[in-house]
Amino acid sequence: MEINNLAIFIRAAELANVTRAATELGYTQSACSHILGRLERELGLALFYRKHNGVELTAAGETLLPLARDLVQGQARMQDAAAKLAQRAEGLIRIGSITSVAIQWLPALIDDFVGAFPGTSVQIFDGDYEEVEQWLTGQQVDCGFLSSSTEKNFALHPLKKDPMMVVLPKTHPLCRYDVIPLAALKEEKMLIPAEGLHYDVGDILRAANSAPPKCYDLISDYSAISLVRKGYGLTILPELLLDGYSLDGVELRPLEANNLRTICVATLAGKVPSPITRAFVEYVVNWAKK
């Protein structure tokens, strides 16, 4: 028994006219009559007396009409409750994050978000760009922080433009520059930070014709700073990562052409995010504006 058939029965009874009920509900008169006939056969009861100018409920129809109303109203209440549940922002959200965001943003951001959305719990996965991409693609996380330089198919929501800075020893000749030309990096030994050469640092070094061969060693971001301090080479890191970190023995210089990375919060393209994920993404976008 279909709820829509009951809705036709109810309206035909209320109007005492099948044709008017059909017009109001978007059916033809013949289709409406067919549906009511099928409903009567399913129930094994006549619901209406057919008259020249309309219909009149039988005794069985009078008895069943309030029950039909209960069923139709119950379906409407169920649909309304389901819609509200689908919009409710609560539950577990799993977040993949690059190190700079995990250190500089997430402690305050998560506190604020959980305060705004009680009943929410958060699980954080901290890794490099490639790991965050893998977690997103494998749906191990619901959203993640990445650079816009990713080549994967994600829905990206830009948050902040973050300058890329050259880290060099205090005694290095390039310290004479307030802004370092890309060409000046060509003859320098570059220490490749954790993001590797597939993202922002790689783009910069390729533009400077300074990218190392395919075989190279990756080191952690903060290890790169230590090696720079000891004179083993230069590195390039985002300003957000360097904020608050001890920079004794090293200097920071911006690059020419205003080289930036754009930090984004990303979700998997083509997948409808959960209500709590949508709420988090919207919250982060507004939070970053402040």
Side-chain angles (χ1 to χ4, degrees):
M1 185 184 306
E2 296 183 16
I3 294 293
N4 286 344
N5 295 354
L6 293 179
I8 293 171
F9 162 52
I10 292 167
R11 197 61 184 139
E14 291 171 343
L15 297 172
N17 190 291
V18 173
T19 301
R20 287 172 59 196
T23 301
E24 186 176 297
L25 296 174
Y27 292 87
T28 64
Q29 190 277 334
S30 60
C32 206
S33 296
H34 177 75
I35 289 169
L36 290 173
R38 187 169 62 201
L39 179 60
E40 289 178 319
R41 289 191 295 274
E42 287 180 12
L43 295 171
L45 296 165
L47 299 174
F48 294 105
Y49 297 115
R50 272 71 174 177
K51 297 185 174 182
H52 176 68
N53 61 345
V55 293
E56 180 182 338
L57 284 169
T58 64
E62 292 277 5
T63 301
L64 294 178
L65 181 60
L67 299 177
R69 285 196 177 105
D70 287 344
L71 287 171
V72 172
Q73 290 167 1
Q75 184 198 42
R77 287 193 298 271
M78 181 176 178
Q79 288 174 332
D80 183 60
K84 289 178 180 176
L85 286 171
Q87 295 302 317
R88 185 176 295 172
E90 63 180 19
L92 173 66
I93 181 168
R94 302 162 302 167
I95 303 167
S97 181
I98 50 179
T99 301
S100 55
V101 172
I103 293 173
Q104 303 291 357
W105 286 4
L106 286 189
L109 175 56
I110 296 303
D111 280 349
D112 291 350
F113 180 71
V114 172
F117 292 86
T120 300
S121 56
V122 178
Q123 187 175 5
I124 297 172
F125 296 71
D126 180 14
D128 58 32
Y129 287 129
E130 189 171 354
E131 287 173 320
V132 175
E133 289 178 346
Q134 289 171 352
W135 294 331
L136 278 166
T137 303
Q139 300 186 47
Q140 294 168 265
V141 298
D142 303 299
C143 61
F145 291 94
L146 284 170
S147 166
S148 61
S149 61
T150 180
E151 296 180 355
K152 303 294 184 181
N153 186 27
F154 300 127
L156 299 175
H157 305 269
L159 302 175
K160 175 183 172 64
K161 292 189 180 298
D162 189 22
M164 299 297 290
M165 307 295 289
V166 180
V167 186
L168 59 164
K170 279 188 175 293
T171 57
H172 196 282
L174 291 182
C175 288
R176 70 182 184 275
Y177 290 106
D178 293 326
V179 177
I180 295 182
L182 285 179
L185 300 179
K186 186 173 182 180
E187 303 302 324
E188 299 294 332
K189 179 181 179 182
M190 301 303 300
L191 303 171
I192 308 303
E195 72 170 68
L197 292 178
H198 301 297
Y199 304 96
D200 302 281
V201 170
D203 291 342
I204 292 169
L205 294 180
R206 282 186 288 274
N209 294 315
S210 182
K214 291 183 179 180
C215 296
Y216 55 87
D217 294 326
L218 296 179
I219 51 179
S220 73
D221 296 329
Y222 293 129
S223 294
I225 298 173
S226 296
L227 291 174
V228 169
R229 185 180 289 121
K230 294 177 180 178
Y232 285 98
L234 313 183
T235 195
I236 300 173
L237 292 170
E239 187 176 61
L240 183 65
L241 182 75
L242 298 165
D243 187 26
Y245 186 76
S246 174
L247 298 173
D248 291 344
V250 299
E251 291 283 336
L252 304 182
R253 294 290 187 274
L255 283 157
E256 68 174 352
N258 199 25
N259 279 277
L260 306 167
R261 70 166 178 174
T262 301
I263 302 172
C264 302
V265 61
T267 55
L268 191 61
K271 181 179 184 295
V272 178
S274 67
I276 189 61
T277 303
R278 289 198 303 271
F280 181 76
V281 169
E282 291 172 7
Y283 193 88
V284 170
V285 170
N286 291 325
W287 186 89
K289 290 177 182 177
K290 301 174 184 178

